[in-house]
Amino acid sequence: MSLGSIFPSTRKQVEQLEPYSPGKPIWEVQREWGLERVVKLASNENPLGPSPKAVEAIMQQLAELHRYPDSSGGELKRAIALHYQLQEQQVMIGNGADELITLLSEAYLEDGDEVLVPSPSFTEYAFGGKLMGAKIVEIPLDPRFNYNLDRMASAVTDRTKIIYLCSPHNPTGSYIPRSSLDSFIQKLPSHVILVLDGAYSHYATAGDYSNGLDWVRRNKSVVVLQTFSKIYGLAGLRIGFALSVEPIIAAMHRVKEPFNVNTLAQKAAVAALTDEEHVQRSLAVNEEGRRYLYAAFEAKGLPYTPSMSNFILVEFGEIAYRVYQHLLKQGIIVRYGGTWGLTGHLRVSVGSELENRLFVEALDKVLSQLG
Ligand SMILES: Cc1ncc(COP(=O)(O)O)c(C=O)c1O
């Protein structure tokens, strides 16, 4: 539909944009189905909640809310630089990793540039590209949902500007082994920026997992994206960060608005970053929950993709959408794979012990109803 008829017309790129399709919020399902208890396993949030130290830091800051935030985010950038053994100039903070994807796109993409994205994958990569009039080139994962990096490398042209890889991969939970990642990066030409989205990197326990940061230290045009929304449990505050070589970070700063990250988010993130106890507890709960859910899926004969993350992609075949809807009626929100063209799959976030059990009980009921 054209947005410009009797009103001024938008940029042509705006008509290409599709709104993000988030996991259903709890309140919506409560209202729709008249339910009191709703379990949300749809957005890969931390079931333990935020780091208590982050909550404390927010409380201490409340009386200062009449002040503008630190526009440079200096305290947080220094804390992140220290944590990752980088220079402060190699760090940028943003209003979620989402904003950093947009800023990188705004800083680097021209009409007609090419952006390589895995397919399926996190939809914001394509959003950033389309916003700037770039051409989105989708490179399919292999049938077992692993990356086909040779195919990705052979799709690089003179117009390729940004390549996105997320590892662990959303929505499948697969990851890229270090040796494959390293040989892919070695081959990349210098006009290409490689974005390694590590939103779920904390959950990756495989010995050969790499978050790619070594390549930033070696001065390659690599951007490592991280978020406080997942293991740190601060999704509602909207805060993420990018780690890269200085010229790329400087370019992203040039296009940001002055106060892109609010004060509470900055203070909470500084506290959460060093709350190692909360990180370790979150990791343990996730590993335990992953094992429990694997066992439940195996017992029901449901194929799933082994996950290095805090969610599991499960195959239901042609009943997938009906399972999703019936689960909603039982007060369980998961994510329907149709968002990514995976119409036979559901993506289930790993919850707390209780949430996982309620999900499995509801799933038993739904599967017996659907026969
Ligand atoms: C792969 C991936 N990257 C980035 C993000 C966005 O993170 P943020 O909440 O920091 O915007 C998400 C959120 O779900 C994600 O799954």
Side-chain angles (χ1 to χ4, degrees):
M1 185 188 74
S2 168
L3 300 181
S5 45
I6 58 165
F7 298 111
S9 52
T10 61
R11 287 167 59 228
K12 66 180 187 306
Q13 289 83 0
V14 174
E15 295 195 12
Q16 310 295 318
L17 301 176
E18 285 152 30
Y20 181 71
S21 155
K24 260 183 185 290
I26 290 176
W27 58 263
E28 194 178 306
V29 176
Q30 280 171 326
R31 205 165 59 186
E32 223 169 290
W33 302 100
L35 296 167
E36 216 157 89
R37 181 161 69 184
V38 169
V39 171
K40 185 179 176 208
L41 301 175
S43 300
N44 309 333
E45 295 151 342
N46 188 332
L48 293 185
S51 144
K53 290 187 177 157
V55 174
E56 176 63 31
I58 289 172
M59 302 297 271
Q60 284 184 13
Q61 201 57 37
L62 290 177
E64 291 298 315
L65 284 184
H66 57 301
R67 305 283 179 207
Y68 279 96
D70 173 0
S71 76
S72 75
E75 184 191 7
L76 177 56
K77 285 200 294 194
R78 281 190 293 281
I80 293 169
L82 186 69
H83 191 83
Y84 287 95
Q85 298 292 295
L86 294 169
Q87 301 298 313
E88 188 182 333
Q89 300 85 323
Q90 294 175 295
V91 182
M92 166 147 199
I93 60 171
N95 188 35
D98 286 346
E99 188 199 17
L100 296 161
I101 293 168
T102 305
L103 293 179
L104 187 72
S105 307
E106 287 172 356
Y108 282 96
L109 295 176
E110 310 260 17
D111 224 12
D113 280 344
E114 290 168 8
V115 176
L116 305 192
V117 299
S119 174
S121 74
F122 188 51
T123 50
E124 291 309 280
Y125 309 147
F127 173 87
K130 287 180 186 169
L131 181 68
M132 302 311 296
K135 181 175 158 201
I136 309 302
V137 182
E138 296 190 346
I139 312 295
L141 299 185
D142 76 13
R144 302 188 66 175
F145 297 135
N146 290 311
Y147 276 93
N148 188 339
L149 291 183
D150 288 339
R151 194 160 165 186
M152 188 135 263
S154 59
V156 173
T157 70
D158 291 348
R159 291 306 307 263
T160 306
K161 201 61 167 291
I162 302 180
I163 300 178
Y164 285 97
L165 298 177
C166 52
S167 177
H169 177 262
N170 181 12
T172 68
S174 68
Y175 75 104
I176 306 172
R178 176 188 292 273
S179 56
S180 315
L181 182 66
D182 287 353
S183 58
F184 178 73
I185 295 178
Q186 266 153 8
K187 283 184 264 173
L188 284 180
S190 59
H191 65 274
V192 173
I193 296 173
L194 175 66
V195 179
L196 285 170
D197 185 345
Y200 303 97
S201 63
H202 287 89
Y203 298 104
T205 46
D208 61 348
Y209 172 75
S210 161
N211 64 8
L213 209 51
D214 290 351
W215 290 98
V216 172
R217 297 197 180 94
R218 284 191 236 173
N219 254 342
K220 260 280 190 188
S221 297
V222 167
V223 178
V224 172
L225 287 182
Q226 291 280 333
T227 179
F228 283 94
S229 300
K230 307 299 173 185
I231 201 140
Y232 296 111
L234 300 177
L237 278 182
R238 311 304 304 125
I239 178 152
F241 56 100
L243 307 171
S244 190
V245 289
E246 280 187 48
I248 294 180
I249 293 294
M252 291 170 73
H253 273 101
R254 291 182 86 146
V255 292
K256 90 173 182 80
E257 57 161 292
F259 303 105
N260 62 328
V261 181
N262 71 75
T263 307
L264 300 184
Q266 292 189 33
K267 292 289 180 190
V270 169
L273 193 63
T274 51
D275 191 351
E276 195 50 33
E277 191 193 329
H278 186 259
V279 168
Q280 288 310 323
R281 226 156 44 88
S282 305
L283 201 52
V285 165
N286 188 62
E287 287 191 25
E288 180 69 37
R290 228 167 28 188
R291 274 196 297 273
Y292 171 81
L293 292 174
Y294 285 167
F297 296 140
E298 279 161 26
K300 295 176 206 329
L302 293 167
Y304 60 87
T305 308
S307 173
M308 272 295 119
S309 200
N310 65 344
F311 53 83
I312 305 171
L313 188 73
V314 196
E315 192 175 346
F316 288 87
E318 58 186 22
I319 61 168
Y321 190 64
R322 275 183 291 154
V323 173
Y324 164 74
Q325 283 186 312
H326 278 68
L327 283 172
L328 280 182
K329 282 187 224 169
Q330 305 276 335
I332 308 284
I333 316 174
V334 297
R335 198 69 157 263
Y336 174 54
T339 313
W340 304 281
L342 301 170
T343 51
H345 291 76
L346 301 182
R347 192 194 68 187
V348 183
S349 304
V350 178
S352 66
E353 196 182 337
L354 174 65
E355 289 171 331
N356 296 334
R357 188 160 49 73
L358 291 171
F359 161 70
V360 171
E361 284 169 11
L363 184 61
D364 280 337
K365 229 188 257 177
V366 167
L367 290 177
S368 67
Q369 279 166 3
L370 292 176

Short mmCIF file of all heavy atoms in Angstrom, two decimals, residues 88-146:
data_model
loop_
_atom_site.label_atom_id
_atom_site.label_comp_id
_atom_site.label_asym_id
_atom_site.label_seq_id
_atom_site.Cartn_x
_atom_site.Cartn_y
_atom_site.Cartn_z
N GLU A 88 38.69 2.32 25.52
CA GLU A 88 37.35 2.93 25.58
C GLU A 88 36.86 3.33 24.19
O GLU A 88 35.66 3.26 23.89
CB GLU A 88 37.43 4.16 26.51
CG GLU A 88 36.09 4.77 26.81
CD GLU A 88 36.22 6.01 27.69
OE1 GLU A 88 37.21 6.11 28.45
OE2 GLU A 88 35.33 6.88 27.59
N GLN A 89 37.79 3.76 23.33
CA GLN A 89 37.40 4.20 21.97
C GLN A 89 36.95 3.04 21.09
O GLN A 89 36.54 3.24 19.95
CB GLN A 89 38.57 4.89 21.26
CG GLN A 89 39.10 6.12 21.95
CD GLN A 89 40.14 5.77 23.03
OE1 GLN A 89 40.05 4.77 23.73
NE2 GLN A 89 41.15 6.61 23.15
N GLN A 90 37.06 1.83 21.60
CA GLN A 90 36.60 0.66 20.83
C GLN A 90 35.21 0.20 21.27
O GLN A 90 34.75 -0.87 20.87
CB GLN A 90 37.60 -0.49 20.99
CG GLN A 90 38.96 -0.19 20.37
CD GLN A 90 39.95 -1.30 20.64
OE1 GLN A 90 40.32 -1.56 21.78
NE2 GLN A 90 40.36 -1.98 19.59
N VAL A 91 34.56 1.03 22.11
CA VAL A 91 33.26 0.64 22.67
C VAL A 91 32.21 1.69 22.33
O VAL A 91 32.46 2.88 22.43
CB VAL A 91 33.34 0.54 24.22
CG1 VAL A 91 32.01 0.10 24.81
CG2 VAL A 91 34.48 -0.39 24.66
N MET A 92 31.02 1.22 21.94
CA MET A 92 29.89 2.13 21.79
C MET A 92 28.68 1.52 22.48
O MET A 92 28.43 0.32 22.32
CB MET A 92 29.57 2.34 20.32
CG MET A 92 28.22 2.99 20.12
SD MET A 92 28.18 4.04 18.70
CE MET A 92 26.74 5.04 19.09
N ILE A 93 27.94 2.35 23.22
CA ILE A 93 26.72 1.82 23.85
C ILE A 93 25.50 2.31 23.07
O ILE A 93 25.54 3.37 22.42
CB ILE A 93 26.61 2.20 25.34
CG1 ILE A 93 26.60 3.71 25.53
CG2 ILE A 93 27.75 1.56 26.13
CD1 ILE A 93 26.29 4.15 26.98
N GLY A 94 24.44 1.53 23.12
CA GLY A 94 23.24 1.90 22.35
C GLY A 94 21.97 1.51 23.07
O GLY A 94 21.99 0.76 24.06
N ASN A 95 20.86 2.02 22.55
CA ASN A 95 19.55 1.75 23.10
C ASN A 95 19.11 0.34 22.65
O ASN A 95 18.23 0.17 21.82
CB ASN A 95 18.59 2.83 22.60
CG ASN A 95 17.23 2.76 23.25
OD1 ASN A 95 17.09 2.43 24.41
ND2 ASN A 95 16.20 3.05 22.48
N GLY A 96 19.82 -0.66 23.19
CA GLY A 96 19.67 -2.04 22.73
C GLY A 96 20.61 -2.29 21.55
O GLY A 96 21.03 -1.33 20.87
N ALA A 97 20.93 -3.57 21.34
CA ALA A 97 21.74 -3.92 20.16
C ALA A 97 20.99 -3.50 18.89
O ALA A 97 21.60 -3.16 17.88
CB ALA A 97 22.03 -5.41 20.14
N ASP A 98 19.67 -3.48 18.98
CA ASP A 98 18.85 -3.04 17.84
C ASP A 98 19.29 -1.68 17.32
O ASP A 98 19.43 -1.47 16.11
CB ASP A 98 17.38 -2.90 18.26
CG ASP A 98 16.68 -4.23 18.45
OD1 ASP A 98 17.23 -5.25 18.00
OD2 ASP A 98 15.59 -4.23 19.05
N GLU A 99 19.47 -0.73 18.24
CA GLU A 99 19.85 0.62 17.80
C GLU A 99 21.23 0.60 17.13
O GLU A 99 21.47 1.31 16.15
CB GLU A 99 19.89 1.61 18.97
CG GLU A 99 20.10 3.04 18.45
CD GLU A 99 20.60 4.05 19.47
OE1 GLU A 99 21.10 3.67 20.53
OE2 GLU A 99 20.53 5.25 19.16
N LEU A 100 22.12 -0.25 17.65
CA LEU A 100 23.47 -0.28 17.09
C LEU A 100 23.46 -0.81 15.65
O LEU A 100 24.24 -0.36 14.81
CB LEU A 100 24.38 -1.12 17.99
CG LEU A 100 24.54 -0.49 19.39
CD1 LEU A 100 25.02 -1.51 20.40
CD2 LEU A 100 25.47 0.72 19.34
N ILE A 101 22.53 -1.73 15.37
CA ILE A 101 22.38 -2.23 13.99
C ILE A 101 21.93 -1.08 13.08
O ILE A 101 22.45 -0.89 11.98
CB ILE A 101 21.37 -3.41 13.96
CG1 ILE A 101 21.94 -4.62 14.71
CG2 ILE A 101 20.99 -3.78 12.52
CD1 ILE A 101 20.94 -5.72 14.99
N THR A 102 20.98 -0.30 13.58
CA THR A 102 20.50 0.84 12.78
C THR A 102 21.61 1.87 12.58
O THR A 102 21.80 2.38 11.47
CB THR A 102 19.28 1.50 13.47
OG1 THR A 102 18.30 0.50 13.68
CG2 THR A 102 18.68 2.61 12.62
N LEU A 103 22.35 2.17 13.65
CA LEU A 103 23.41 3.19 13.54
C LEU A 103 24.51 2.75 12.57
O LEU A 103 25.00 3.55 11.77
CB LEU A 103 24.02 3.49 14.92
CG LEU A 103 23.08 4.16 15.93
CD1 LEU A 103 23.80 4.37 17.26
CD2 LEU A 103 22.55 5.48 15.39
N LEU A 104 24.86 1.49 12.64
CA LEU A 104 25.89 0.98 11.72
C LEU A 104 25.38 1.10 10.27
O LEU A 104 26.13 1.51 9.37
CB LEU A 104 26.20 -0.48 12.05
CG LEU A 104 27.36 -1.09 11.28
CD1 LEU A 104 28.68 -0.52 11.77
CD2 LEU A 104 27.38 -2.62 11.47
N SER A 105 24.12 0.78 10.08
CA SER A 105 23.52 0.87 8.74
C SER A 105 23.55 2.32 8.26
O SER A 105 23.92 2.61 7.12
CB SER A 105 22.08 0.36 8.75
OG SER A 105 22.02 -0.92 9.32
N GLU A 106 23.15 3.23 9.14
CA GLU A 106 23.12 4.66 8.76
C GLU A 106 24.51 5.18 8.46
O GLU A 106 24.70 6.02 7.58
CB GLU A 106 22.50 5.49 9.90
CG GLU A 106 21.00 5.30 10.02
CD GLU A 106 20.42 5.97 11.26
OE1 GLU A 106 21.19 6.53 12.09
OE2 GLU A 106 19.19 5.92 11.41
N ALA A 107 25.49 4.69 9.20
CA ALA A 107 26.86 5.20 9.01
C ALA A 107 27.50 4.66 7.73
O ALA A 107 28.33 5.34 7.14
CB ALA A 107 27.72 4.84 10.23
N TYR A 108 27.12 3.47 7.31
CA TYR A 108 27.90 2.83 6.24
C TYR A 108 27.15 2.53 4.94
O TYR A 108 27.80 2.37 3.91
CB TYR A 108 28.53 1.53 6.76
CG TYR A 108 29.75 1.83 7.58
CD1 TYR A 108 29.69 1.92 8.95
CD2 TYR A 108 30.97 2.09 6.96
CE1 TYR A 108 30.81 2.23 9.71
CE2 TYR A 108 32.10 2.39 7.70
CZ TYR A 108 32.01 2.47 9.08
OH TYR A 108 33.12 2.80 9.80
N LEU A 109 25.82 2.41 4.99
CA LEU A 109 25.16 1.89 3.79
C LEU A 109 24.67 2.99 2.86
O LEU A 109 24.07 3.98 3.28
CB LEU A 109 23.96 1.00 4.18
CG LEU A 109 24.33 -0.27 4.93
CD1 LEU A 109 23.07 -1.01 5.37
CD2 LEU A 109 25.23 -1.17 4.07
N GLU A 110 24.94 2.81 1.58
CA GLU A 110 24.44 3.70 0.52
C GLU A 110 23.43 2.89 -0.29
O GLU A 110 23.48 1.66 -0.31
CB GLU A 110 25.57 4.07 -0.44
CG GLU A 110 26.82 4.57 0.19
CD GLU A 110 26.91 6.08 0.16
OE1 GLU A 110 25.86 6.71 -0.05
OE2 GLU A 110 28.01 6.59 0.39
N ASP A 111 22.59 3.63 -1.01
CA ASP A 111 21.65 3.01 -1.94
C ASP A 111 22.39 2.00 -2.82
O ASP A 111 23.43 2.35 -3.39
CB ASP A 111 21.11 4.14 -2.84
CG ASP A 111 19.63 4.02 -3.02
OD1 ASP A 111 19.00 3.25 -2.29
OD2 ASP A 111 19.11 4.72 -3.91
N GLY A 112 21.90 0.77 -2.88
CA GLY A 112 22.50 -0.21 -3.79
C GLY A 112 23.62 -1.05 -3.20
O GLY A 112 24.07 -2.00 -3.82
N ASP A 113 24.10 -0.67 -2.01
CA ASP A 113 25.08 -1.55 -1.34
C ASP A 113 24.42 -2.88 -1.02
O ASP A 113 23.19 -2.96 -0.92
CB ASP A 113 25.57 -0.91 -0.02
CG ASP A 113 26.63 0.15 -0.26
OD1 ASP A 113 27.20 0.19 -1.36
OD2 ASP A 113 26.86 0.95 0.68
N GLU A 114 25.25 -3.89 -0.82
CA GLU A 114 24.68 -5.21 -0.50
C GLU A 114 24.99 -5.59 0.96
O GLU A 114 26.09 -5.34 1.45
CB GLU A 114 25.26 -6.26 -1.45
CG GLU A 114 24.72 -6.07 -2.87
CD GLU A 114 25.46 -6.90 -3.91
OE1 GLU A 114 26.29 -7.75 -3.54
OE2 GLU A 114 25.21 -6.66 -5.11
N VAL A 115 23.98 -6.18 1.57
CA VAL A 115 24.11 -6.66 2.95
C VAL A 115 23.82 -8.15 2.94
O VAL A 115 22.76 -8.57 2.49
CB VAL A 115 23.10 -5.93 3.88
CG1 VAL A 115 23.16 -6.50 5.29
CG2 VAL A 115 23.35 -4.44 3.89
N LEU A 116 24.78 -8.96 3.39
CA LEU A 116 24.55 -10.40 3.42
C LEU A 116 24.02 -10.80 4.79
O LEU A 116 24.62 -10.45 5.81
CB LEU A 116 25.83 -11.19 3.15
CG LEU A 116 26.62 -10.88 1.87
CD1 LEU A 116 27.68 -11.97 1.64
CD2 LEU A 116 25.71 -10.80 0.66
N VAL A 117 22.90 -11.51 4.78
CA VAL A 117 22.32 -11.98 6.04
C VAL A 117 22.04 -13.46 5.95
O VAL A 117 21.66 -13.96 4.89
CB VAL A 117 20.99 -11.24 6.39
CG1 VAL A 117 21.21 -9.74 6.55
CG2 VAL A 117 19.91 -11.50 5.37
N PRO A 118 22.23 -14.17 7.07
CA PRO A 118 21.84 -15.59 7.05
C PRO A 118 20.32 -15.69 6.98
O PRO A 118 19.61 -14.79 7.46
CB PRO A 118 22.34 -16.12 8.40
CG PRO A 118 22.76 -14.95 9.20
CD PRO A 118 22.73 -13.72 8.36
N SER A 119 19.82 -16.75 6.40
CA SER A 119 18.38 -16.95 6.34
C SER A 119 18.05 -18.36 6.84
O SER A 119 18.60 -19.31 6.31
CB SER A 119 17.90 -16.78 4.90
OG SER A 119 16.55 -17.11 4.80
N PRO A 120 17.22 -18.50 7.88
CA PRO A 120 16.57 -17.40 8.60
C PRO A 120 17.55 -16.72 9.56
O PRO A 120 18.61 -17.26 9.82
CB PRO A 120 15.49 -18.14 9.41
CG PRO A 120 16.09 -19.48 9.70
CD PRO A 120 16.89 -19.82 8.46
N SER A 121 17.15 -15.55 10.05
CA SER A 121 17.91 -14.93 11.14
C SER A 121 17.15 -13.75 11.73
O SER A 121 16.02 -13.46 11.32
CB SER A 121 19.31 -14.50 10.70
OG SER A 121 19.23 -13.35 9.91
N PHE A 122 17.80 -13.09 12.67
CA PHE A 122 17.21 -11.95 13.36
C PHE A 122 16.82 -10.88 12.32
O PHE A 122 17.66 -10.45 11.52
CB PHE A 122 18.26 -11.41 14.33
CG PHE A 122 17.77 -10.35 15.26
CD1 PHE A 122 16.61 -10.52 16.00
CD2 PHE A 122 18.48 -9.17 15.40
CE1 PHE A 122 16.17 -9.54 16.86
CE2 PHE A 122 18.04 -8.18 16.27
CZ PHE A 122 16.88 -8.37 16.99
N THR A 123 15.56 -10.47 12.35
CA THR A 123 15.03 -9.66 11.25
C THR A 123 15.56 -8.21 11.21
O THR A 123 15.43 -7.54 10.19
CB THR A 123 13.48 -9.62 11.32
OG1 THR A 123 13.10 -9.25 12.66
CG2 THR A 123 12.88 -10.98 11.00
N GLU A 124 16.15 -7.75 12.31
CA GLU A 124 16.61 -6.36 12.32
C GLU A 124 17.81 -6.10 11.40
O GLU A 124 18.08 -4.95 11.03
CB GLU A 124 16.96 -5.92 13.76
CG GLU A 124 15.75 -5.79 14.66
CD GLU A 124 14.65 -4.93 14.06
OE1 GLU A 124 14.76 -3.71 14.12
OE2 GLU A 124 13.68 -5.50 13.51
N TYR A 125 18.54 -7.15 11.02
CA TYR A 125 19.66 -6.94 10.09
C TYR A 125 19.12 -6.42 8.76
O TYR A 125 19.64 -5.47 8.18
CB TYR A 125 20.43 -8.24 9.84
CG TYR A 125 20.87 -9.00 11.06
CD1 TYR A 125 20.93 -10.40 11.04
CD2 TYR A 125 21.23 -8.35 12.23
CE1 TYR A 125 21.33 -11.12 12.16
CE2 TYR A 125 21.62 -9.06 13.35
CZ TYR A 125 21.67 -10.45 13.31
OH TYR A 125 22.06 -11.16 14.41
N ALA A 126 18.06 -7.11 8.28
CA ALA A 126 17.47 -6.70 7.00
C ALA A 126 16.79 -5.34 7.14
O ALA A 126 16.84 -4.51 6.22
CB ALA A 126 16.46 -7.75 6.54
N PHE A 127 16.21 -5.08 8.30
CA PHE A 127 15.55 -3.79 8.54
C PHE A 127 16.55 -2.64 8.33
O PHE A 127 16.27 -1.68 7.60
CB PHE A 127 14.97 -3.74 9.96
CG PHE A 127 14.42 -2.40 10.35
CD1 PHE A 127 13.12 -2.05 10.05
CD2 PHE A 127 15.23 -1.47 11.01
CE1 PHE A 127 12.62 -0.79 10.39
CE2 PHE A 127 14.74 -0.21 11.36
CZ PHE A 127 13.44 0.12 11.05
N GLY A 128 17.72 -2.76 8.95
CA GLY A 128 18.73 -1.70 8.84
C GLY A 128 19.16 -1.49 7.40
O GLY A 128 19.32 -0.36 6.92
N GLY A 129 19.32 -2.59 6.68
CA GLY A 129 19.73 -2.50 5.28
C GLY A 129 18.67 -1.84 4.42
O GLY A 129 18.94 -0.91 3.65
N LYS A 130 17.42 -2.29 4.60
CA LYS A 130 16.33 -1.74 3.79
C LYS A 130 16.12 -0.27 4.06
O LYS A 130 15.83 0.51 3.18
CB LYS A 130 15.03 -2.50 4.06
CG LYS A 130 15.01 -3.90 3.47
CD LYS A 130 13.68 -4.56 3.82
CE LYS A 130 13.67 -6.02 3.39
NZ LYS A 130 12.50 -6.72 3.94
N LEU A 131 16.26 0.11 5.32
CA LEU A 131 16.10 1.51 5.72
C LEU A 131 16.99 2.42 4.88
O LEU A 131 16.63 3.54 4.53
CB LEU A 131 16.45 1.63 7.21
CG LEU A 131 16.34 3.00 7.87
CD1 LEU A 131 14.86 3.41 7.95
CD2 LEU A 131 16.92 2.95 9.28
N MET A 132 18.17 1.93 4.56
CA MET A 132 19.15 2.75 3.84
C MET A 132 19.16 2.46 2.33
O MET A 132 20.03 2.95 1.61
CB MET A 132 20.56 2.50 4.41
CG MET A 132 20.68 2.80 5.90
SD MET A 132 20.01 4.41 6.36
CE MET A 132 21.10 5.49 5.46
N GLY A 133 18.22 1.64 1.88
CA GLY A 133 18.14 1.37 0.44
C GLY A 133 19.15 0.34 -0.04
O GLY A 133 19.45 0.25 -1.24
N ALA A 134 19.70 -0.44 0.88
CA ALA A 134 20.65 -1.48 0.48
C ALA A 134 19.90 -2.71 -0.01
O ALA A 134 18.72 -2.90 0.30
CB ALA A 134 21.55 -1.85 1.67
N LYS A 135 20.63 -3.54 -0.76
CA LYS A 135 20.02 -4.79 -1.24
C LYS A 135 20.33 -5.89 -0.22
O LYS A 135 21.49 -6.06 0.17
CB LYS A 135 20.65 -5.12 -2.60
CG LYS A 135 20.12 -6.36 -3.24
CD LYS A 135 20.74 -6.51 -4.63
CE LYS A 135 20.65 -7.97 -5.06
NZ LYS A 135 21.61 -8.30 -6.09
N ILE A 136 19.31 -6.61 0.18
CA ILE A 136 19.51 -7.68 1.18
C ILE A 136 19.72 -9.00 0.43
O ILE A 136 18.87 -9.41 -0.36
CB ILE A 136 18.28 -7.82 2.11
CG1 ILE A 136 17.88 -6.46 2.70
CG2 ILE A 136 18.54 -8.85 3.20
CD1 ILE A 136 18.96 -5.76 3.49
N VAL A 137 20.85 -9.62 0.68
CA VAL A 137 21.15 -10.90 0.03
C VAL A 137 21.09 -11.98 1.11
O VAL A 137 21.88 -11.97 2.06
CB VAL A 137 22.55 -10.88 -0.63
CG1 VAL A 137 22.83 -12.21 -1.34
CG2 VAL A 137 22.67 -9.70 -1.59
N GLU A 138 20.11 -12.87 0.97
CA GLU A 138 19.91 -13.89 2.01
C GLU A 138 20.68 -15.16 1.65
O GLU A 138 20.58 -15.67 0.55
CB GLU A 138 18.43 -14.24 2.11
CG GLU A 138 17.59 -13.07 2.58
CD GLU A 138 16.17 -13.48 2.91
OE1 GLU A 138 15.75 -14.59 2.53
OE2 GLU A 138 15.49 -12.67 3.56
N ILE A 139 21.46 -15.64 2.63
CA ILE A 139 22.23 -16.87 2.42
C ILE A 139 21.64 -17.95 3.33
O ILE A 139 21.74 -17.85 4.57
CB ILE A 139 23.73 -16.67 2.77
CG1 ILE A 139 24.28 -15.39 2.12
CG2 ILE A 139 24.54 -17.91 2.39
CD1 ILE A 139 24.32 -15.39 0.61
N PRO A 140 21.01 -18.97 2.74
CA PRO A 140 20.33 -19.96 3.58
C PRO A 140 21.29 -20.77 4.46
O PRO A 140 22.43 -21.05 4.04
CB PRO A 140 19.65 -20.90 2.58
CG PRO A 140 19.81 -20.29 1.24
CD PRO A 140 20.90 -19.26 1.31
N LEU A 141 20.84 -21.12 5.65
CA LEU A 141 21.58 -22.09 6.47
C LEU A 141 21.44 -23.45 5.79
O LEU A 141 20.58 -23.63 4.94
CB LEU A 141 20.96 -22.17 7.87
CG LEU A 141 20.94 -20.90 8.73
CD1 LEU A 141 20.39 -21.23 10.11
CD2 LEU A 141 22.32 -20.27 8.84
N ASP A 142 22.27 -24.41 6.20
CA ASP A 142 22.12 -25.74 5.59
C ASP A 142 20.90 -26.43 6.22
O ASP A 142 20.30 -25.90 7.16
CB ASP A 142 23.44 -26.52 5.68
CG ASP A 142 23.73 -27.08 7.06
OD1 ASP A 142 22.82 -27.08 7.92
OD2 ASP A 142 24.87 -27.51 7.28
N PRO A 143 20.51 -27.60 5.72
CA PRO A 143 19.27 -28.23 6.21
C PRO A 143 19.29 -28.54 7.72
O PRO A 143 18.24 -28.67 8.34
CB PRO A 143 19.17 -29.51 5.39
CG PRO A 143 19.96 -29.24 4.16
CD PRO A 143 21.08 -28.33 4.57
N ARG A 144 20.49 -28.65 8.30
CA ARG A 144 20.54 -28.90 9.75
C ARG A 144 20.70 -27.60 10.54
O ARG A 144 21.07 -27.59 11.70
CB ARG A 144 21.67 -29.86 10.08
CG ARG A 144 21.50 -31.18 9.31
CD ARG A 144 22.48 -32.20 9.74
NE ARG A 144 22.24 -32.60 11.13
CZ ARG A 144 22.90 -33.56 11.74
NH1 ARG A 144 23.86 -34.20 11.10
NH2 ARG A 144 22.64 -33.86 12.99
N PHE A 145 20.47 -26.48 9.86
CA PHE A 145 20.53 -25.15 10.46
C PHE A 145 21.92 -24.72 10.89
O PHE A 145 22.09 -23.94 11.82
CB PHE A 145 19.57 -25.03 11.65
CG PHE A 145 18.12 -25.19 11.27
CD1 PHE A 145 17.27 -25.98 12.01
CD2 PHE A 145 17.61 -24.54 10.16
CE1 PHE A 145 15.93 -26.13 11.66
CE2 PHE A 145 16.27 -24.68 9.79
CZ PHE A 145 15.44 -25.47 10.56
N ASN A 146 22.94 -25.26 10.21
CA ASN A 146 24.29 -24.74 10.43
C ASN A 146 24.61 -23.74 9.32
O ASN A 146 24.02 -23.77 8.24
CB ASN A 146 25.31 -25.88 10.42
CG ASN A 146 25.16 -26.74 11.66
OD1 ASN A 146 25.10 -26.22 12.77
ND2 ASN A 146 25.04 -28.04 11.48
#
